């Protein structure tokens, strides 16, 4: 037998990924996967090498959301695997499809805890954090393992899947023909799921009787890529809708039916609520009074049947994919009657809120030192000039205020901290957005949030990605003006001149002290199409603790007394 008639585990992994149209792998190399990264690159798969696996995994998750196909993250064993796990768990929580492939150490040593290099039972650990976790024990099962991982990640409710491949399997040599026959391409990994006709009737009847109906669009609706069906349903029925943060842009934020600027009134008053790819979790106050009308009836569109009744009784469950369900609803639904008054009520509240916000923005525009809202108004104006820009957003105040200030007009152009409110997604998401879409990316980051993945600026520069990072730098977590009782900095205090960092990696850094500076440098950076960072110097006293979720933050007795 000649060498050309042989293959090995490493080749089979790369071949299986290629066969399944994987174009990019996000990862960090080391034993036992370095050669796999090299081979992937040589075979035409793009390998994006990161500084830390959490960021690579976050990138793979974002790639999954942005493309609708599982993003791939590749890590080494134990510590690299654990670093990636944060991204894998976050992907699962957010219902993004991704696969984390990690090399692992020798099973016969690990399982007897004899002390191998990077010893860990990774499969057992991953099971708790992933939608599913699999291990391949023989090279001839690599194709099966990858097919299974890809289908599990993408089908039904998407999520993160872990695939464990021991070093010995990667090194295993087998006959090339036998190897080739062991691989296959997954057919129709995420089939449509048509709703039951009776469930559609039930929902239509409920909606028909509503006086104050409301539609809530979640990131599942954005993920479903049923943009036309969603828009048509909303516009045909005339029902007001609220977009969750990552559903913004599914319809343009200035759409006349958007109730975003009358959110609290909409929740309090709605009598029939149609949830579309949105869970009634903490982000929607679990559907509870007093945020919601206690008599509201819920209709829920979700691909995952187990989501129904998780918080409130679901009067009309619609289990299926958003596209199929909206089509079925559209076929039976007529324009809603008697909702003119309801829409008028929301409009009046909205006008009042918008006027209040305009006042705040006006005050912020001239404030010195600069306020969050001053910088954000400038960012908003620049982004409005180019709707193709992908927006990444994390922080506390930086997240809440940017979400409310920056309008989106195109679906899936905003990715953020999501269901967990996690910090650290910034650079990973930005890198994936640039790599997967080729569009310019602006990452609007709180200064603390940015620090979690800041070293990946080097990755942005190394791959010359069109990512502009805008740091809203108020010198701290939430705020930067807290005094400490001893000589140490306060727990919330941070200090960095971020624009200097990127220079070390060959990117351009700007420091902006006024909204005019912010707009000017952001435009300059976007026009260059090159990696850049704008550090916005924000008043350290601006911002509230925990942003708009301060009520979730337990306070000790000392704080309560105001000491
Ligand atoms: P948000 O945070 O924007 O409110 P969530 O992440 O809470 O959104 O909810 C997303 C929901 O969308 C999940 O329950 C998930 O099962 C569902 N989902 C994901 N993809 C689809 C799809 N193609 N069709 C229907 N539901 C989907
Ligand atoms: C992985 C807790 C929530 S928000 C935040 C932290 C540390 C940073 C807020 O400060 P930032 O924004 O980014 O400067 P701003 O605009 O308010 O000043 N670790 C993880 N996730 C979370 N959510 C935290 C800690 C947290």
């Amino acid at each position: 037998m000649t060498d050309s008639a042989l293959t090995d585990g490493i080749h089979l992994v790369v071949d299986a990924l290629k066969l399944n149209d994987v174009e990019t792998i996000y990862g960090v190399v080391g034993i036992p996967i370095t050669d796999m990264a090299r081979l992937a690159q040589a075979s035409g798969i793009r390998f994006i090498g990161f500084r830390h696996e959490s960021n690579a995994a976050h990138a793979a998750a974002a790639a999954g959301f942005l493309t609708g196909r599982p993003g791939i993250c590749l890590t080494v064993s134990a510590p690299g695997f654990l670093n990636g796990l944060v991204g894998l768990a976050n992907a699962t929580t957010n219902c993004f499809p991704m696969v984390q492939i990690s090399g692992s150490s020798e099973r016969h040593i690990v399982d007897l805890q004899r002390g191998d290099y990077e010893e860990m039972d990774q499969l057992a650990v991953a099971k708790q954090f992933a939608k599913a976790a699999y291990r391949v024990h023989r090279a001839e099962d690599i194709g099966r393992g990858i097919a299974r991982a890809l289908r599990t990640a993408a089908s039904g409710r998407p999520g993160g899947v872990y695939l464990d491949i021991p070093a010995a399997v990667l090194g295993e040599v087998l006959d090339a023909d036998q190897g080739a026959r062991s691989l296959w391409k997954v057919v129709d990994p995420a089939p449509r799921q048509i709703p039951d006709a009776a469930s559609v009737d039930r929902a239509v009847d409920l909606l028909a009787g509503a006086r104050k109906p409301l539609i809530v669009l979640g990131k599942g609706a954005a993920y479903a890529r049923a943009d036309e069906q969603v828009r048509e349903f909303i516009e045909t029925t005339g029902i007001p809708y609220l977009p969750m943060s990552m559903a913004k842009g599914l319809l343009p934020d200035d759409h006349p039916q958007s109730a975003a600027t009358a959110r609290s009134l909409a929740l309090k008053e709605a009598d029939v609520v149609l949830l579309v790819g949105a869970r009634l979790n903490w982000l929607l106050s679990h559907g509870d009074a007093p945020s919601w009308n206690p008599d509201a009836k819920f209709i829920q569109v979700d691909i995952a049947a187990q989501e129904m009744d998780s918080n409130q009784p679901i009067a009309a469950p619609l289990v299926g994919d958003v596209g199929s369900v909206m089509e079925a609803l559209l076929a039976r639904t007529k324009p809603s009657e008697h909702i003119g008054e309801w829409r008028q009520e929301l409009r009046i509240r909205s006008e009042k809120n918008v006027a209040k916000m305009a006042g705040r923005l006006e005050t912020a525009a001239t404030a010195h030192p600069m306020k969050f809202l001053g910088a954000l108004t400038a960012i908003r104006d620049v982004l409005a000039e180019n709707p193709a820009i992908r927006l990444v957003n994390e922080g506390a105040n930086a997240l809440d205020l940017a979400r409310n200030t920056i309008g989106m007009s195109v679906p899936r152009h905003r990715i953020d901290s999501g269901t967990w409110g996690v910090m650290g997604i910034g650079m990973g998401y930005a890198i994936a957005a640039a790599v997967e879409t080729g569009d310019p990316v602006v990452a609007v980051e709180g200064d603390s949030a940015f620090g979690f993945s800041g070293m990946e600026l080097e990755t942005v520069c190394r791959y010359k990605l069109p990512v502009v990072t805008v740091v809203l730098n108020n010198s701290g977590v939430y705020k930067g003006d807290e005094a400490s009782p001893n000589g140490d900095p306060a727990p919330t205090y941070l200090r960095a001149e971020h624009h200097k960092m990127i220079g070390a990696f060959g990117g351009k850094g700007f420091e902006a002290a006024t909204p005019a500076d912010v707009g000017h440098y952001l435009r300059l950076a976007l026009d260059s199409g090159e990696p850049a960072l704008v550090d916005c110097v924000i008043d350290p006293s601006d911002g509230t603790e925990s942003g708009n979720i301060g009520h979730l933050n337990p306070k000790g007795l000392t704080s309560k007394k105001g000491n």
Side-chain angles (χ1 to χ4, degrees):
M1 206 183 276
T2 65
D3 262 8
S4 62
L6 295 176
T7 189
D8 58 28
I10 289 178
H11 280 82
L12 288 173
V13 174
V14 172
D15 291 349
L17 293 175
K18 279 205 74 164
L19 189 61
N20 281 283
D21 300 324
V22 168
E23 290 170 6
T24 309
I25 296 175
Y26 301 90
V28 178
V29 296
I31 295 172
I33 49 105
T34 312
D35 237 18
M36 195 197 299
R38 286 197 189 101
L39 182 70
Q41 199 174 47
S43 310
I45 292 180
R46 198 160 186 210
F47 182 82
I48 307 290
F50 279 70
R51 294 305 196 110
H52 191 288
E53 293 87 353
S54 286
N55 305 318
H58 285 315
F65 175 76
L66 291 169
T67 65
R69 294 186 296 124
I72 307 292
C73 172
L74 183 63
T75 85
V76 302
S77 5
F81 154 80
L82 282 174
N83 284 343
L85 211 50
V86 171
L88 189 75
N90 188 55
T92 307
T93 300
N94 283 286
C95 314
F96 298 164
M98 73 167 279
V99 175
Q100 176 175 330
I101 302 176
S102 297
S104 59
S105 300
E106 300 303 334
R107 296 255 36 97
H108 61 280
I109 303 180
V110 173
D111 288 350
L112 276 173
Q113 297 181 22
R114 295 169 55 201
D116 202 0
Y117 168 73
E118 298 192 345
E119 176 178 293
M120 175 176 277
D121 186 357
Q122 296 167 196
L123 183 67
V125 174
K127 276 188 177 150
Q128 305 162 64
F129 301 102
K131 182 177 177 188
Y134 307 116
R135 175 151 54 217
V136 173
H137 282 267
R138 308 177 299 175
E140 68 194 77
D141 287 331
I142 284 173
R144 179 174 286 115
I146 285 178
R148 201 145 167 60
L150 291 173
R151 182 180 292 282
T152 305
S155 58
R157 171 184 280 175
V161 174
Y162 174 62
L163 185 64
D164 191 276
I165 314 188
V169 178
L170 291 173
E172 197 181 320
V173 173
L174 71 165
D175 174 74
D177 279 345
Q178 185 201 352
R181 278 196 309 275
S182 71
L183 309 181
W184 68 83
K185 181 171 172 154
V186 175
V187 176
D188 197 10
R192 294 182 66 181
Q193 295 194 21
I194 317 289
D196 176 62
S199 72
V200 176
D201 291 348
R202 195 182 296 120
V204 169
D205 289 349
L206 198 54
L207 266 181
R211 309 292 299 194
K212 296 187 172 186
L214 178 71
I215 296 170
V216 178
L217 300 176
K219 58 180 162 321
Y223 178 78
R225 288 160 178 73
D227 309 346
E228 276 313 297
Q229 293 94 320
V230 169
R231 189 188 52 74
E232 218 181 315
F233 179 80
I234 289 176
E235 291 183 344
T236 305
T237 59
I239 298 174
Y241 74 95
L242 273 179
M244 299 301 285
S245 69
M246 282 180 57
K248 275 163 69 83
L250 210 44
L251 285 89
D253 275 338
D254 57 4
H255 194 282
Q257 284 168 254
S258 168
T261 43
R263 189 178 193 273
S264 34
L265 181 72
L267 301 191
K268 247 190 203 33
E269 293 285 320
D271 61 354
V272 176
V273 181
L274 172 64
L275 300 160
V276 185
R279 288 170 284 186
L280 270 181
N281 57 17
W282 70 279
L283 286 159
L284 284 170
S285 313
H286 306 281
D288 288 335
S291 298
W292 292 82
N293 171 359
D295 298 320
K297 298 256 178 296
F298 290 94
I299 305 170
Q300 184 158 28
V301 181
D302 206 294
I303 203 153
Q306 79 272 21
E307 187 53 39
M308 310 295 160
D309 302 325
S310 55
N311 280 283
Q312 297 293 331
I314 300 300
L318 282 162
V319 178
D321 69 276
V322 168
S324 303
V325 174
M326 298 321 269
E327 253 167 41
L329 284 176
L330 199 55
R332 294 267 337 262
T333 311
K334 293 189 215 61
S336 289
E337 292 172 8
H338 324 297
I339 62 167
E341 231 173 84
W342 168 227
R343 284 184 54 177
Q344 177 68 2
E345 197 182 336
L346 291 169
R347 199 172 306 125
I348 291 168
R349 175 66 67 91
S350 171
E351 278 165 9
K352 210 169 111 198
N353 288 345
V354 169
K356 211 158 77 189
M357 185 66 174
R360 283 180 70 194
L361 293 178
E362 211 176 289
T363 315
T366 49
H368 194 78
M370 186 160 56
K371 304 281 186 197
F372 277 107
L373 285 178
L376 282 165
T377 307
I379 297 167
R380 174 197 69 188
D381 292 347
V382 176
L383 297 195
E385 292 162 12
N386 184 358
I389 291 171
R390 306 278 170 161
L391 176 64
V392 175
N393 189 199
E394 62 176 335
N397 297 281
L399 179 77
D400 298 334
L401 296 170
R403 183 180 55 234
N404 295 338
T405 311
I406 302 174
M408 305 304 298
S409 53
V410 189
R412 294 170 294 281
H413 275 53
R414 181 190 156 86
I415 43 180
D416 64 30
S417 299
T419 303
W420 263 350
V422 68
M423 299 299 113
I425 48 91
M427 294 299 99
Y429 278 19
I431 289 167
V435 166
E436 300 292 338
T437 70
D439 292 333
V441 178
V442 172
V444 175
E445 302 273 309
D447 55 319
S448 162
F450 170 69
F452 286 72
S453 66
M455 189 62 198
E456 303 298 347
L457 273 184
E458 190 274 329
T459 310
V460 169
C461 292
R462 188 165 18 105
Y463 288 88
K464 301 186 174 57
L465 299 172
V467 172
V468 183
T469 303
V470 182
V471 182
L472 300 178
N473 187 358
N474 66 342
S475 304
V477 178
Y478 316 131
K479 286 164 83 110
D481 63 348
E482 194 172 322
S484 89
N486 60 11
D488 281 343
T492 52
Y493 179 72
L494 300 169
R495 207 196 80 84
E497 295 171 73
H498 303 93
H499 58 292
K500 293 185 178 165
M501 278 175 72
I502 194 167
F505 311 129
K508 284 233 157 52
F510 305 98
E511 187 177 34
T514 66
D517 282 354
V518 176
H520 172 67
Y521 292 132
L522 181 54
R523 252 186 218 99
L524 206 67
L526 282 166
D527 287 348
S528 79
E530 286 175 7
L533 184 147
V534 183
D535 198 33
C536 305
V537 184
I538 304 284
D539 184 346
S541 71
D542 198 18
T544 51
E545 181 143 326
S546 303
N548 72 352
I549 52 171
H551 60 285
L552 300 178
N553 200 15
K555 285 286 189 186
L557 285 172
T558 325
S559 289
K560 277 183 186 146
K561 281 188 205 135
N563 292 333

